[in-house]
Amino acid sequence: NNLFCDYCHPNKITTAENDFYKFLQSITDKSTVINRNDRTVLNGKELDFYIPSKKIAIEINGLYWHSEIGGERKKLYHLNKTRSCACHGIALVHIFENELIHKKEIVYSIIKNLLNVNREKIDARNCVVKEIDEGSKNKFLNENHIQGEDKSSIKLGLFFKDELVSVMTFGKSRFDKKIEWEMIRYCNRVNLSVRGGAGKLFSYFLNSYKPKSIVSYSDRRFFTGEVYKMLGFNFINYTPPNYYYIMNNYKDMKNRMMFQKNRLSEFLKTFDVSKSEWDNMKNNGYDRIWDCGHSKWIFLNNKG
């Protein structure tokens, strides 16, 4: 199943971590220190990569070694590492192995943005906002957002010389019914920085739809939520870690929402209604992996 030790497997020359290290070297100048397998920050606990000058650390999490059963990584394992880094003023990014395989360009673009090394930059003042159709929105999100397409009712695109460079989407609030709207997705085209892009798209939504309140959630595996502060959102709280089920011999993962207990009897070989969702999944050979939860942000529009 291509499970191996990164250090001593005799036939494995190139690993995901080696490739990622070469990528980091390629986007930073020669004077930038990139510590591998750092154990100085967290008192002996390892960080795959740490860039002291940027106060950014990066973990490459293999789906087997970081799963609940195979790797014995329980619910709070990744979150506790994020919290420990935050105590030292360090932002920790967790990248799951399958994301480097299936969404490498998007992952690399996120890292470039975090390190502020994108070569291509444009200004939002030179762009125009247009509402876009479902197909254009889904295509752009699948090519440029780590979570891919969504189900949204308001789809805004930012265009530079007739090219779609940013997308921001909204829909009715899904989880907090006290809030009117939810900002569901925002991203730029990979490897592009759009200065002021989020602000221009958000202002268009405020002016066109006059929302009273908006909620949004930032994935703590990648982001600290700085864009929300810039847009005028207020931090509310952190949500608990979520889990993903691991598929295809530890090669891929799927959101747990696809595996709600009332649907399991449709596709599991064996299903026991008296057992929990997780017990039924384990009995059918599934494993799972935990993320770091999300930060929750709310915008109250006094002018709406």
Side-chain angles (χ1 to χ4, degrees):
N1 291 326
N2 197 32
L3 303 176
F4 58 90
C5 173
D6 283 357
Y7 300 97
C8 63
H9 190 286
N11 299 319
K12 197 68 182 182
I13 299 173
T14 302
T15 70
E17 285 191 20
N18 286 337
D19 288 343
F20 195 81
Y21 181 56
K22 292 175 183 176
F23 159 70
L24 290 177
Q25 289 179 310
S26 73
I27 63 173
T28 54
D29 57 56
K30 293 182 179 180
S31 64
T32 301
V33 175
I34 304 171
N35 294 334
R36 290 194 67 178
N37 311 121
D38 185 282
R39 293 182 180 272
T40 63
V41 174
L42 300 183
N43 298 318
K45 292 183 179 179
E46 187 177 88
L47 293 172
D48 293 337
F49 302 95
Y50 175 46
I51 306 175
S53 62
K54 301 289 187 178
K55 302 291 281 187
I56 289 176
I58 302 165
E59 288 271 86
I60 308 297
N61 296 335
L63 294 189
Y64 178 81
W65 302 112
H66 286 259
S67 65
E68 184 164 341
I69 298 175
E72 299 183 352
R73 302 302 195 226
K74 303 300 183 183
K75 180 177 180 177
L76 297 179
Y77 177 81
H78 298 113
L79 176 57
N80 282 341
K81 235 177 181 181
T82 293
R83 287 170 169 167
S84 296
C85 281
C87 289
H88 295 276
I90 298 169
L92 175 58
V93 176
H94 292 272
I95 302 170
F96 289 147
E97 174 188 20
N98 64 303
E99 292 168 334
L100 274 180
I101 296 172
H102 302 300
K103 298 184 177 183
K104 178 183 286 188
E105 191 172 9
I106 297 174
V107 170
Y108 280 8
S109 181
I110 290 173
I111 299 302
K112 288 178 183 178
N113 274 319
L114 291 175
L115 297 178
N116 194 27
V117 294
N118 266 336
R119 304 292 187 262
E120 188 177 359
K121 299 179 181 181
I122 60 175
D123 292 310
R125 65 174 179 267
N126 298 321
C127 303
V128 296
V129 179
K130 300 178 185 178
E131 304 214 12
I132 59 177
D133 59 52
E134 184 83 2
S136 299
K137 179 264 296 182
N138 285 342
K139 183 176 185 296
F140 189 89
L141 291 179
N142 286 331
E143 292 176 351
N144 300 283
H145 197 287
I146 194 69
Q147 293 176 304
E149 65 185 66
D150 68 353
K151 293 182 180 179
S152 51
S153 54
I154 308 299
K155 304 166 283 289
L156 306 180
L158 194 66
F159 289 81
F160 177 72
K161 296 180 179 180
D162 296 323
E163 178 190 358
L164 183 60
V165 294
S166 303
V167 163
M168 184 178 285
T169 68
F170 299 85
K172 293 302 179 181
S173 179
R174 297 172 294 173
F175 310 114
D176 189 338
K177 297 307 179 183
K178 296 179 182 178
I179 304 298
E180 183 183 12
W181 289 93
E182 179 180 344
M183 189 172 86
I184 303 173
R185 295 278 194 274
Y186 168 67
C187 68
N188 298 323
R189 196 194 74 210
V190 294
N191 303 318
L192 174 68
S193 292
V194 184
R195 290 173 291 220
K200 188 157 188 170
L201 288 164
F202 192 66
S203 294
Y204 179 95
F205 180 71
L206 294 181
N207 294 331
S208 300
Y209 293 92
K210 304 294 189 294
K212 295 179 180 178
S213 56
I214 308 168
V215 65
S216 195
Y217 303 88
S218 178
D219 190 341
R220 294 183 74 185
R221 281 203 298 124
F222 291 100
F223 309 110
T224 59
E226 291 300 315
V227 67
Y228 295 103
K229 295 179 185 178
M230 182 269 294
L231 294 176
F233 281 73
N234 292 310
F235 170 75
I236 302 302
N237 56 32
Y238 291 117
T239 67
N242 191 13
Y243 57 86
Y244 300 82
Y245 281 113
I246 299 173
M247 322 281 291
N248 304 326
N249 292 321
Y250 291 93
K251 292 298 185 291
D252 205 356
M253 64 185 193
K254 299 292 183 182
N255 192 290
R256 68 179 181 86
M257 299 304 292
M258 300 175 61
F259 302 92
Q260 295 174 341
K261 185 177 178 180
N262 60 350
R263 301 172 59 186
L264 295 183
S265 61
E266 300 173 9
F267 60 87
L268 291 183
K269 291 182 178 179
T270 61
F271 175 74
D272 186 340
V273 69
S274 68
K275 295 183 182 296
S276 68
E277 169 203 308
W278 174 223
D279 284 337
N280 272 290
M281 294 296 285
K282 283 190 293 184
N283 290 341
N284 283 268
Y286 288 82
D287 203 343
R288 65 181 177 181
I289 190 169
W290 291 88
D291 66 11
C292 300
H294 290 69
S295 56
K296 180 179 179 180
W297 301 80
I298 286 181
F299 179 91
L300 298 177
N301 187 8
N302 298 324
K303 299 178 181 180

